[in-house]
Structures are given as structure tokens and as C-alpha cells.
Amino acid sequence: MPLIVPFLNDPSTTSTSSTIPNIMTDPSTAEEFAVLRQTLKSSLRQYPDFPQPGILFEDILPLFASPSLHAQLLRALEIHVTSTFPPSLTPPFAGVDVVIGLEARGFLFGPSLALKLGASFVPVRKAGKLPGETVKVTYQKEYGQDVFEMQKDAVKPGQRVLVVDDIIATGGTAAAAEDLVGQLGGEVVGFCFILELAFLKGRDKLKAPVFTLLSGQE
Ligand SMILES: O=P(O)(O)OC[C@H]1O[C@H](OP(=O)(O)OP(=O)(O)O)[C@H](O)[C@@H]1O
Ligand SMILES: Nc1ncnc2[nH]cnc12
């Protein structure tokens, strides 16, 4: 009988809406994950007053500038997703069919994560970039308003979708993606972010469970 270890006693890994069962059966994987998080967190940069006064901008790009950090990021995300949605389980905790990445920074790691999970990758793009029939939604984010679009045949009814992005701030962007998936009859089984600005309470706007790898700006 494997030892069941609580995944992490950290508020950034739990959801207020519903809770993902963050358990891991292998203690050495839990330890590996904790070390990965520490390394990744210490590699982020912050820029005050960008892109406008009053915003403390969290820059995740150093994670991609170094091949080693890039690999560690993907390993951390893979550990999380496969321990939360093991392909061998039955719903609601079975695997993921589609990973959706949100423009633009969700495109940096969404496709690689999808490949690791054996899932499809689908982009959600800013308006006017996608050919063919699309669904659309207008949304508010931490610094402005935008329009998101997804191709109509990108998600099939009943498919299990994981939405990924670099940051959740006010949650407007992620909620817009959840809306688009719902319009196509897909099921968002979870959200996965690298970083969460917890004080903005963005996760409260989302119906599906939320996982964030790192916390920021308490
Ligand atoms: O939770 P919210 O308040 O909605 O903000 C989070 C969103 O804001 C940023 O994207 P941005 O719209 O700046 O676009 P970009 O990735 O194309 O630069 C970030 O990458 C998230 O997608
Ligand atoms: N403070 C922030 N830093 C980086 N990306 C963001 N997207 C929304 N708010 C952000």
C-alpha cells in the first residue's frame, strides 16, 4: 500500500471554489516537486509600473531563457497535472483530452505540456487572428479590456479541458476562456497557472478548480 502524502500545505495550491485532490503517492516525487517550486519562484522578476502606473508586473520569461529552468517548469507542471488527473482513473479525476493555452504567454508552455500529457493543444487567441468559424467573448483584465476567440471545432462536446496561462490576476482572462469552452460543450476540469496574484481573488470568478504553481504579491 503506497504512502499517501498531502501534496502541499500551501494555499496557492488549493481552490476556494472546489478542491482538486492534491495527493501524491510517491514521497520522493512530492519532495522533487517542492524543490522545483523553490527554484522556479526564485527565478522570476518583477517590474514596477509596467505596463501602466500602479501595476507590479511579474515577468516569467526567465523561466524560458534557461533550458534547465524550462525543463524544470515542465516537470513541475507534469507532476501536478498527472497526479491530479491520472489517466487511469475514472471521471471526475480522469485524464485531460485538451490543453487550452491563452494568448500569449499560455502559448509558451501549453503545447509542451499537452505533448507530455498526450493531449491536444488548442489556442485561445485575441480577436481577429483565427480563420474559420469561431466563438467570441469580451472580458476585463487587470489592465484593460480584450476580446478572446476560439475555433468552433477546436473542442468537441464532452471533452475534458485543462486551461493554462502564466498568471491569474483578476481572473477575467481565465473566466473568458471557461465561457468559450462552455459555448462549445466542453468541460473545463481545471485551470493551471504558473503564478497567482492572490490578493485580486481571480479564482473566485472561475467554476472549475484552480491550481497555481507559485504564489505572488500577497
Ligand atoms: O487575470 P487577469 O486580470 O485577466 O490577467 C491575466 C492575464 O493578463 C496577462 O495577459 P495579457 O492580457 O497582458 O496579454 P499577453 O499575454 O498577450 O501579453 C496574463 O498573461 C494573463 O493572460
Ligand atoms: N501584474 C501582472 N504581471 C504580469 N502579467 C499580468 N497580467 C495581469 N496582471 C499581471
Side-chain angles (χ1 to χ4, degrees):
M1 172 95 173
L3 179 63
I4 306 291
V5 178
F7 196 51
L8 278 169
N9 183 20
D10 181 331
S12 72
T13 63
T14 58
S15 170
T16 49
S17 43
S18 56
T19 302
I20 292 179
N22 272 327
I23 56 166
M24 210 177 285
T25 51
D26 174 11
S28 69
T29 309
E31 198 179 314
E32 178 193 1
F33 184 75
V35 172
L36 288 169
R37 286 180 83 229
Q38 258 177 0
T39 308
L40 296 168
K41 174 78 182 172
S42 66
S43 308
L44 300 177
R45 289 185 303 206
Q46 293 184 324
Y47 290 88
D49 298 320
F50 182 87
Q52 59 195 43
I55 302 289
L56 180 58
F57 191 86
E58 302 280 355
D59 184 19
I60 53 132
L61 294 179
L63 302 182
F64 299 92
S66 145
S68 163
L69 290 172
H70 191 167
Q72 290 179 74
L73 172 67
L74 284 165
R75 173 67 183 145
L77 293 170
E78 180 188 22
I79 290 173
H80 165 65
V81 178
T82 52
S83 65
T84 302
F85 302 109
S88 56
L89 288 189
T90 50
F93 303 121
V96 166
D97 301 313
V98 182
V99 172
I100 287 190
L102 309 187
E103 185 169 351
R105 287 170 258 159
F107 297 175
L108 294 173
F109 62 98
S112 324
L113 182 61
L115 204 54
K116 274 184 179 278
L117 300 176
S120 315
F121 175 77
V122 165
V124 163
R125 298 216 58 184
K126 307 276 168 84
K129 305 279 187 184
L130 289 169
E133 282 195 86
T134 61
V135 284
K136 249 186 220 180
V137 65
T138 301
Y139 63 97
Q140 291 289 335
K141 52 186 188 174
E142 192 184 14
Y143 39 77
Q145 182 176 292
D146 239 316
V147 181
F148 256 171
E149 225 172 346
M150 187 165 58
Q151 287 177 315
K152 264 194 178 162
D153 58 0
V155 173
K156 310 278 177 291
Q159 278 193 311
R160 295 167 54 78
V161 173
L162 177 73
V163 176
V164 305
D165 202 358
D166 64 332
I167 285 179
I168 177 168
T170 63
T173 303
E178 196 168 41
D179 179 302
L180 291 177
V181 174
Q183 287 188 46
L184 298 182
E187 182 197 355
V188 177
V189 294
F191 289 89
C192 186
F193 305 101
I194 296 175
L195 194 63
E196 175 170 11
L197 308 188
F199 72 99
L200 290 171
K201 302 193 188 308
R203 59 169 67 208
D204 294 353
K205 288 201 178 78
L206 308 176
K207 297 187 203 91
V210 173
F211 168 77
T212 55
L213 197 55
L214 312 170
S215 55
Q217 298 183 28
E218 294 305 326

